Amino acid sequence: MLLVSRRLQQHLAGKRFLVACLHTSRRVQNSRKVIEQFKLADIGEGITECELIKWNVKPNDMIQAFDPLCEVQSDKASVEITSPFDGVVAKLLVQEGEVAKVGSNLCLIEVMKEIADSVDTSVAEPLNTDTLPIESFETPTSTVSSEENTEEPLPSSTTVRRKHPMDPTFTPEVDGPGHDAPVLATPSVRHFARQNGVDLSQLVPGSGRDGRIDRRDVEQYLSAGASASTQHPTRVEAHGQTENVVVELSRTRYGMWKAMEKSLQIPHFGYSTTLDLTALHGLLPTLNANIPPHFLPESSAPALLPVSPLSVYTPPPPPETPLSGKYTRLTYLPFLLKTLAKSMIEWPLFRASITLNSTSKPTLTIRPHSDINVALSTPTGLYTPTLQSADTYSMYALSSQLKHLSHLGRQIPCGLTPKEMPKQGGTVSLSNVGAIGAGDFAAPVLVPGGGVAIVALGRAKWVWDVDRGDGSGERRLKMGISWTADHRVVEGAELAAFVECWRGYVESPERLIADSV
Amino acid sequence: MLSSRLPWSNFFRLYSTAPTSPQHSIYISNSTNPYFNLSFEDWLFRHKEPKTPLLLLYRDDPCVIIGRNQNPWKEVNLSILHSRKDIPFIRRRSGGGTVYHDLGNTNFSIHLPRSSFDRHKTAQVILRAVRSLEVDAIVNERNDICVGSEKVSGSAYKIVNKRAYHHGTMLISTELNTLGDLLHTTKDAMQTRGVASVRSPVRNLQHFNPSVTHESFVDAVVQAFREEYQCEDDVQSVNEEEYQDLEYIQTGMSELPSWEWGYGQTPEFTYPINETFAWGTASAKIQSKHGIIIDFSLSINSEAAPPATDAGISDENLKSVEKLLQGRRYGSVSAVEIRDALGPNGPVDDIASWLEKSMNS
């Protein structure tokens, strides 16, 4: 399995969950110094280039938004340009007297920038591509647009959110839990906390029984806090560790160790390609607008229609969906899972599990339905719950299941049970590592019980595809995927053909209509 | 339709102080002081509430106005200007080229919010005014108002954060000969990084319709402005004395004639020159930025004998002239200083006066 790790923050009925990270350090910071490129904005009137007449600043000057930055001239127009940011001038890229083209960088300004926390938590391993690629595309031009809209101040990158206790600007009086929340901790933990200047009320609830704060919570708070703040002058050392520290492998990490050793018995081969998600991207708004009511949280449920289709006969209601299974937005993942399940129906090989017989040749057991493992990275470790008979569920139902699974996984201790992780497992595994960063391709590892193949999904990105259109190219949303398969039973050509079958559904979602009519 | 003031307002004028920000939309300046008019225009530009259109009209006593980023040594015939002690040259704050103002030229200035500023639209406002005076004018591709192939108006623009203006000239009865002399330049060899003027043949409006006057043009522009921007504001008549207390304007008026603004804002330029004398040739290359000489090199070629030695001017002398000029304001070095640096021997007078003339005109 590919190790994936993700920091999640969930807002759930007013409670906050303290989520420790497997990868701490920079993930915990909320603001950092960023060098912003300031481009020469489009002045309008068809002007394509200007001469820079005069800089009003020099490197290392402090500058505030709307301070004069420089003056440029184009034929008969003299234009004063003001700074869109508060910050420090890092570097001047165009000299006085030089000509700069519209859209080129004029200077670099160092600003303090807040990282947008992910507010979308509808799926455990969400492919948050519907929000993130747009952000990454817009970042270079965001300076231009803010130069144009000089009426408003700089737009904030996040909606109002509760501050995480690791946030350097977190103040307990303002952001902390209510003072009536009990702080449970054993005397030894209290002593340890006091020694290290830790306010236990900031760690409520802890990871121990009944929400007790464990020593581990305090340790994690300290190591995270030390690495998070670059602003607090007292925490000048990078991470507080001064000597070698011996750590035992946790149960799940040791489980991963053992599984990986066994995986060496499986001959792997890989196959990578990109999927074009543009068509799917276009469908999402419609799909989101028609989420069945029993999957929607109370508040988002649509108002009752004046004419109800159920007035003649009320069918039995669908099974009650737990609150953890309700969501308001789809992501790409349920769609990818559904189409994968469909492809698996067409390709029996990928519905097969290997049975090693001690006396005779190994056999393949082909199941009637598609069982897919989904890699889930949780605070307590890496798990692979199974979506059983995924081909029989609608995308909406799959989305609900994913959300429920991720909710269970995020519990401390882990809420996943053998019900979600049956012994027989799935025959194909899926890992959404693209949600973590901007990875294009990965090389996932197959473990016994993981099936005959595993796919890792990269990050969907908007790219310019020169093959499309009439040769002039088009902007398409592409996602890299990397398959690894068990070469004892799967041929290279078979895997490639299977992936092409999957692509056929993913890139032409309209084909799914054929099943409904 | 000029001043609509009642006589008793004179009383208030003596005791009133200038407002902190412009309260009206149509201003006509009674002052012909170019320093005041430019500073007043700038004050209106920076202090008017950004969303309201504004119009200013004014006339100046004779002067030469160069664009924000121009090179006065290249654009203006300074030797003629120096001979006309009464005519200053002034650098304005908007871009564009060099113009000549006198009382036969009326200047207009339209200020608008930056988001809705469109230089073509504003040009149309002025065009309509001119056409209403029965002159068959058009707007050319450089957004200037012409009659046939002759320019009657030049334009320039300034854009800042929330505001932009289009201002320009309108030749009604200007002394075109003086204009031609003062703007006639000879320094083709001067390579400057600033904006070069685009020369065009010019004509007065009175050439096409002798009955056009400053007053009738002003009325026509106010009318066209009112129609375009639905402005019903009264016309404000502006007198220089009323704004004596306004620091912004007073500061502006003292900045404009300063060397730092007039010459010191000149972008970088290089000027290679050479001259033939009876005894040989000399060539020099001057490099200047912000009006200061940053590099100077001089070489002499005497036909009569090998360079320098027989001419009496040594390499050291040349170096000392170069040193003399480094860091000096362009146009400030006198022939006497140059001659002294060149030493006692050789054709020093020739060289010194040639250099002085080249740089100071």
Side-chain angles (χ1 to χ4, degrees):
Chain A
M1 287 297 166
L2 183 68
L3 177 67
V4 298
S5 157
R6 182 176 164 78
R7 175 179 174 222
L8 301 169
Q9 181 163 0
Q10 184 174 10
H11 298 262
L12 193 66
K15 275 167 85 176
R16 278 176 300 111
F17 288 84
L18 174 66
V19 178
C21 313
L22 292 178
H23 292 228
T24 54
S25 62
R26 58 181 173 80
R27 287 261 142 215
V28 187
Q29 270 171 262
N30 285 83
S31 64
R32 59 199 162 108
K33 284 197 183 127
V34 169
I35 301 283
E36 289 281 358
Q37 299 171 324
F38 180 53
K39 294 186 190 296
L40 178 59
D42 185 6
I43 297 181
E45 311 187 287
I47 291 166
T48 53
E49 57 184 29
C50 303
E51 185 183 333
L52 193 129
I53 304 180
K54 186 168 170 246
W55 279 108
N56 296 96
V57 297
K58 30 181 214 312
N60 294 326
D61 279 353
M62 287 212 35
I63 193 167
Q64 288 193 323
F66 303 118
D67 278 354
L69 201 57
C70 62
E71 228 180 297
V72 301
Q73 163 124 14
S74 71
D75 68 319
K76 300 193 278 194
S78 170
V79 187
E80 250 178 42
I81 297 183
T82 56
S83 172
F85 312 112
D86 288 343
V88 174
V89 178
K91 195 171 172 201
L92 305 180
L93 299 170
V94 179
Q95 299 312 312
E96 286 183 5
E98 280 181 355
V99 173
K101 289 207 183 319
V102 168
S104 65
N105 287 332
L106 286 179
C107 65
L108 300 175
I109 301 178
E110 189 186 75
V111 300
M112 292 298 293
K113 202 164 178 199
E114 283 222 358
I115 302 175
D117 270 345
S118 163
V119 182
D120 170 49
T121 55
S122 54
V123 185
E125 292 285 5
L127 193 58
N128 269 334
T129 52
D130 43 350
T131 52
L132 292 164
I134 314 295
E135 275 178 23
S136 62
F137 181 79
E138 276 189 351
T139 309
T141 58
S142 64
T143 53
V144 178
S145 57
S146 66
E147 159 71 19
E148 291 296 337
N149 304 330
T150 45
E151 313 289 327
E152 295 101 327
L154 209 53
S156 59
S157 54
T158 56
T159 51
V160 172
R161 61 180 174 88
R162 298 276 282 276
K163 283 195 187 150
H164 194 276
M166 304 298 187
D167 187 332
T169 58
F170 177 97
T171 45
E173 310 86 63
V174 176
D175 309 289
H179 290 293
D180 40 329
V183 178
L184 300 172
T186 62
S188 58
V189 172
R190 287 183 192 273
H191 178 69
F192 178 62
R194 215 175 316 127
Q195 270 186 326
N196 290 287
V198 174
D199 181 4
L200 282 179
S201 60
Q202 294 194 17
L203 301 177
V204 170
S207 53
R209 191 161 57 93
D210 296 333
R212 265 165 240 256
I213 299 171
D214 276 353
R215 187 191 172 93
R216 194 164 42 108
D217 295 334
V218 180
E219 280 167 347
Q220 277 172 348
Y221 176 81
L222 283 171
S223 62
S227 57
S229 58
T230 51
Q231 298 160 358
H232 294 203
T234 51
R235 294 176 183 155
V236 171
E237 321 87 55
H239 54 283
Q241 186 180 343
T242 50
E243 58 201 28
N244 292 343
V245 172
V246 176
V247 170
E248 254 191 40
L249 291 181
S250 70
R251 189 162 57 88
T252 42
R253 201 177 287 269
Y254 186 53
M256 180 170 76
W257 172 291
K258 288 186 288 192
M260 288 304 156
E261 280 194 321
K262 281 206 216 122
S263 80
L264 291 171
Q265 295 167 3
I266 303 176
H268 294 67
F269 76 96
Y271 178 76
S272 301
T273 182
T274 48
L275 294 177
D276 190 326
L277 300 182
T278 317
L280 172 61
H281 177 75
L283 291 178
L284 266 189
T286 311
L287 295 174
N288 276 330
N290 293 291
I291 299 174
H294 58 276
F295 289 127
L296 289 168
E298 262 6 271
S299 49
S300 313
L304 294 171
L305 296 168
V307 175
S308 168
L310 306 177
S311 57
V312 66
Y313 160 69
T314 315
E320 178 62 34
T321 326
L323 187 59
S324 52
K326 299 200 185 210
Y327 59 92
T328 51
R329 274 174 51 211
L330 282 174
T331 62
Y332 298 134
L333 192 57
F335 176 86
L336 292 166
L337 285 166
K338 177 72 184 186
T339 46
L340 184 63
K342 266 188 81 74
S343 312
M344 283 162 75
I345 295 295
E346 287 185 23
W347 280 83
L349 174 60
F350 292 90
R351 278 183 278 127
S353 58
I354 301 168
T355 313
L356 293 168
N357 296 321
S358 49
T359 48
S360 52
K361 281 195 300 187
T363 56
L364 288 174
T365 311
I366 300 178
R367 308 174 192 190
H369 291 288
S370 312
D371 301 332
I372 305 177
N373 295 326
V374 178
L376 193 65
S377 176
T378 73
T380 46
L382 176 64
Y383 300 99
T384 50
T386 309
L387 292 171
Q388 291 171 322
S389 304
D391 55 301
T392 60
Y393 292 104
S394 71
M395 277 195 276
Y396 292 121
L398 285 175
S399 184
S400 175
Q401 283 183 38
L402 282 169
K403 187 142 190 289
H404 179 63
L405 284 175
S406 75
H407 166 77
L408 290 177
R410 260 179 276 128
Q411 303 306 302
I412 301 168
C414 187
L416 293 168
T417 66
K419 180 161 154 275
E420 288 84 35
M421 298 192 292
K423 199 143 180 286
Q424 61 165 7
T427 55
V428 169
S429 299
L430 183 143
S431 163
N432 189 6
V433 67
I436 301 301
D440 292 323
F441 297 101
V445 176
L446 262 182
V447 290
V452 297
I454 176 172
V455 62
L457 308 177
R459 171 86 128 208
K461 290 177 182 154
W462 285 99
V463 297
W464 189 259
D465 188 346
V466 299
D467 291 334
R468 295 196 67 100
D470 51 349
S472 54
E474 237 180 79
R475 198 170 149 254
R476 307 292 291 184
L477 183 63
K478 300 258 184 140
M479 180 181 71
I481 59 169
S482 306
W483 281 91
T484 303
D486 186 339
H487 213 324
R488 297 175 299 179
V489 295
V490 180
E491 292 173 22
E494 283 175 323
L495 177 65
F498 171 67
V499 173
E500 291 310 306
C501 172
W502 189 31
R503 185 204 303 282
Y505 285 111
V506 171
E507 297 189 350
S508 308
E510 57 270 18
R511 286 179 57 192
L512 296 173
I513 297 172
D515 289 348
S516 300
V517 303
Chain B
M1 222 206 304
L2 284 175
S3 176
S4 56
R5 289 213 169 165
L6 301 170
W8 50 260
S9 68
N10 290 332
F11 175 78
F12 287 108
R13 205 164 67 222
L14 288 173
Y15 292 86
S16 69
T17 50
T20 48
S21 69
Q23 298 299 310
H24 304 280
S25 300
I26 305 181
Y27 290 86
I28 298 182
S29 174
N30 293 333
S31 165
T32 55
N33 176 355
Y35 300 105
F36 171 77
N37 285 327
L38 280 175
S39 305
F40 181 68
E41 180 185 38
D42 193 46
W43 176 73
L44 289 176
F45 183 56
R46 302 275 184 183
H47 293 82
K48 179 70 180 165
E49 189 273 322
K51 299 213 172 60
T52 314
L54 180 147
L55 172 70
L56 167 69
L57 292 150
Y58 59 96
R59 279 194 295 183
D60 290 329
D61 290 325
C63 57
V64 176
I65 311 271
I66 65 171
R68 169 74 181 85
N69 199 31
Q70 289 199 298
N71 182 340
W73 292 287
K74 186 163 170 91
E75 302 290 337
V76 183
N77 197 321
L78 288 170
S79 50
I80 297 187
L81 196 69
H82 290 327
S83 68
R84 298 283 309 261
K85 287 274 180 281
D86 50 328
I87 302 182
F89 103 83
I90 306 172
R91 182 188 297 270
R92 64 175 181 271
R93 300 184 195 276
S94 63
T98 304
V99 291
Y100 171 70
H101 288 185
D102 66 12
L103 292 173
N105 168 71
T106 304
N107 302 298
F108 60 87
S109 182
I110 302 178
H111 301 196
L112 292 168
R114 178 180 178 160
S115 49
S116 57
F117 179 73
D118 179 348
R119 61 168 78 174
H120 305 293
K121 277 226 195 99
T122 45
Q124 289 294 316
V125 172
I126 305 299
L127 179 69
R128 282 201 289 278
V130 172
R131 292 184 70 85
S132 77
L133 298 171
E134 284 164 15
V135 176
D136 189 13
I138 52 148
V139 176
N140 75 359
E141 70 282 349
R142 281 180 57 78
N143 215 46
D144 295 323
I145 297 172
C146 307
V147 180
S149 62
E150 290 162 320
K151 253 171 90 166
V152 294
S153 160
S155 294
Y157 317 92
K158 186 153 176 79
I159 302 171
V160 299
N161 206 5
K162 291 189 161 46
R163 205 83 166 133
Y165 69 67
H166 169 180
H167 71 178
T169 55
M170 186 59 68
L171 295 169
I172 298 177
S173 56
T174 298
E175 290 282 330
L176 295 180
N177 292 334
T178 317
L179 185 156
D181 291 341
L182 286 170
L183 268 48
H184 172 64
T185 62
T186 50
K187 299 200 187 75
D188 291 328
M190 191 180 269
Q191 285 149 6
T192 188
R193 261 179 161 178
V195 166
S197 293
V198 175
R199 276 171 182 72
S200 318
V202 293
R203 270 289 181 224
N204 284 314
L205 285 184
Q206 276 182 357
H207 174 86
F208 304 101
N209 179 351
S211 63
V212 174
T213 61
H214 163 73
E215 287 76 17
S216 62
F217 176 67
V218 163
D219 283 350
V221 173
V222 169
Q223 176 74 9
F225 178 85
R226 283 223 167 98
E227 279 166 10
E228 176 74 16
Y229 301 107
Q230 270 97 53
C231 173
E232 321 222 312
D233 222 28
D234 284 340
V235 170
Q236 299 303 307
S237 196
V238 177
N239 296 302
E240 199 175 324
E241 311 83 67
E242 292 157 21
Y243 292 87
Q244 271 169 358
D245 297 333
L246 234 172
E247 201 188 312
Y248 190 89
I249 294 183
Q250 296 304 318
T251 312
M253 283 172 67
S254 56
E255 189 193 18
L256 288 174
S258 70
W259 186 94
E260 283 76 20
W261 175 259
Y263 292 102
Q265 291 290 312
T266 306
E268 204 171 321
F269 69 85
T270 47
Y271 189 28
I273 48 176
N274 42 56
E275 184 86 344
T276 312
F277 301 94
W279 45 263
T281 61
S283 64
K285 186 152 174 233
I286 311 146
Q287 201 175 343
S288 164
K289 188 173 175 180
H290 294 160
I292 307 284
I293 299 175
I294 54 177
D295 202 38
F296 177 82
S297 61
L298 172 66
S299 66
I300 297 170
N301 226 325
S302 173
E303 287 162 351
T309 42
D310 246 22
I313 300 174
S314 65
D315 279 341
E316 262 161 31
N317 291 131
L318 294 178
K319 285 260 177 316
S320 70
V321 175
E322 284 166 16
K323 254 186 73 182
L324 168 74
L325 261 51
Q326 290 261 13
R328 291 287 298 272
R329 286 182 173 178
Y330 186 90
S332 70
V333 186
S334 69
V336 173
E337 293 173 272
I338 300 174
R339 201 190 55 211
D340 286 343
L342 280 171
N345 304 319
V348 292
D349 281 322
D350 282 347
I351 295 168
S353 50
W354 161 65
L355 281 176
E356 186 200 67
K357 193 164 80 61
S358 301
M359 287 195 283
N360 295 5
S361 65

